[in-house]
Amino acid sequence: MNTFLSRGNALLAFTLSVLASLTFCCFASTFFNDNRRDANVRTVQVVVKNVADYSASREKNDLGFLTFDLEADLTSVFNWNAKQLFLYLVAEYQTPKNTLNQVVLWDKIILRGENAKIDVKSINTKYYFWDDGNGLKNNQNVTLALHWNVIPNAGLLPNVAAHGLHTFSFPAQYATARGA
Amino acid sequence: MIELPAWIPTHMDYEGQKWAERLFQVIIVLFGVVGLVWGYSIQQFSQTVYILGAGVALACLLTLPPWPMYRRHPLNWQKPRSA
């Protein structure tokens, strides 16, 4: 502590310790937050086809097509410790082949500062709804749920589901596969 | 190390060093707490870090150069004695 540089070194090291404790306080202030909100999901048009998935195994699998509406207001999930939200819409169902299937159909990243109110009508899914097998035709109990992951500045990444699920069924007939 | 001209002082005495260390610790912690409260109230952590940075700049200015206030308790050296 008796030269300019050693004082500077001590000062900067102390600053880093203080910065680390401030960051911990930032994390601690949002640790108990409930990040769940309501969301409204509806399906508009639902069709299922039976096609060969050439990127998999050449057998014919069920391919679901659906358009959906989604409404959710996520502005209050953002706080000083939330950088962005990663939203994803999951379809969950059971088939004779598999007890639990979960397929992500759509996702979106919302940065802090962007509009966090979602109100989309009749949009297509972003990803294909392939089933492992032929379990979509006439499946009466397919549930769509919106989940999101809160990406923080510091700390844990909570992954929560919205309140409000939507259950729908696939038709009992395949639609004609005209070049899926 | 670069050689400074002789009239630029480069040391503090021990009392001054103690005060300098205490002073920068107090300044940085104070600005850190103020920054935390302000950042929480406007919900922006970047503001907390900027306020802390301002505190660090102030502390550097006040405690890094050997100002005269840190040289008010010089050691009492004995007079040199010829052998």
Side-chain angles (χ1 to χ4, degrees), chain B residues 32-52:
Chain B
V33 170
V34 165
L36 194 68
V37 170
W38 174 246
Y40 185 74
S41 66
I42 65 169
Q43 287 288 306
Q44 278 202 311
F45 190 61
S46 51
Q47 298 275 323
T48 300
V49 180
Y50 294 151
I51 291 179
L52 182 69

Side-chain angles (χ1 to χ4, degrees), chain A residues 2 7 10 14 21 41 44 61-62 72 76 82 87-89 92 99 106 109 116 131-132 137 143 145 148 169-170 179:
Chain A
N2 57 4
R7 271 197 304 281
F14 185 71
S21 40
V41 186
V44 176
N61 288 327
D62 279 359
S76 57
L87 309 168
Y88 53 104
L89 188 71
E92 266 188 41
T99 315
W106 175 88
I109 291 181
D131 181 40
D132 177 21
K137 183 178 78 162
T143 307
W148 54 81
S169 342
F170 276 100

Side-chain angles (χ1 to χ4, degrees), chain B residues 12-80:
Chain B
M12 303 176 176
D13 52 54
Y14 291 117
E15 274 294 310
Q17 288 173 23
K18 193 173 78 164
W19 285 350
E21 181 168 4
R22 175 72 36 197
L23 185 63
F24 81 63
Q25 284 173 348
V26 166
I27 290 180
I28 291 178
V29 168
L30 199 65
F31 273 74
V33 170
V34 165
L36 194 68
V37 170
W38 174 246
Y40 185 74
S41 66
I42 65 169
Q43 287 288 306
Q44 278 202 311
F45 190 61
S46 51
Q47 298 275 323
T48 300
V49 180
Y50 294 151
I51 291 179
L52 182 69
V56 169
L58 180 67
C60 285
L61 201 60
L62 284 185
T63 65
L64 286 189
W67 301 116
M69 62 182 174
Y70 301 121
R71 287 202 297 278
R72 272 189 272 181
H73 295 264
L75 287 176
N76 242 334
W77 294 108
Q78 291 186 351
K79 290 210 200 352

Side-chain angles (χ1 to χ4, degrees), chain A residues 14-69:
Chain A
F14 185 71
T15 302
L16 281 186
S17 303
V18 170
L19 186 60
S21 40
L22 291 185
T23 308
F24 180 78
C25 289
C26 178
F27 153 65
S29 70
T30 59
F31 182 67
F32 294 109
N33 277 4
D34 180 14
N35 292 301
R36 308 188 59 165
R37 298 289 180 277
D38 294 328
N40 231 325
V41 186
R42 281 179 305 277
T43 45
V44 176
Q45 225 196 2
V46 177
V47 154
V48 63
K49 299 187 185 176
N50 191 231
V51 222
D53 179 8
Y54 289 107
S55 63
S57 63
R58 297 296 168 103
E59 321 173 320
K60 283 197 168 187
N61 288 327
D62 279 359
L63 178 58
F65 289 90
L66 58 98
T67 51
F68 62 96
D69 296 344

Side-chain angles (χ1 to χ4, degrees), chain A residues 30-31 33 35 85-86 148-152 155-160:
Chain A
T30 59
F31 182 67
N33 277 4
N35 292 301
L85 293 186
F86 178 73
W148 54 81
N149 214 343
V150 181
I151 318 284
L156 310 174
L157 280 78
N159 191 347
V160 298

Side-chain angles (χ1 to χ4, degrees), chain A residues 65-135:
Chain A
F65 289 90
L66 58 98
T67 51
F68 62 96
D69 296 344
L70 175 63
E71 276 154 35
D73 184 1
L74 299 174
T75 37
S76 57
V77 182
F78 283 101
N79 49 51
W80 69 333
N81 198 20
K83 271 174 56 182
Q84 65 186 30
L85 293 186
F86 178 73
L87 309 168
Y88 53 104
L89 188 71
V90 182
E92 266 188 41
Y93 56 98
Q94 185 177 22
T95 60
K97 192 171 175 198
N98 299 312
T99 315
L100 176 63
N101 300 277
Q102 288 170 319
V103 183
V104 175
L105 300 178
W106 175 88
D107 56 34
K108 184 178 171 66
I109 291 181
I110 304 181
L111 298 172
R112 187 151 187 234
E114 285 180 355
N115 181 18
K117 289 193 175 52
I118 311 198
D119 188 8
V120 287
K121 298 266 186 297
S122 291
I123 63 171
N124 287 317
T125 58
K126 210 169 170 187
Y127 305 110
Y128 286 121
F129 192 163
W130 283 110
D131 181 40
D132 177 21
N134 298 308

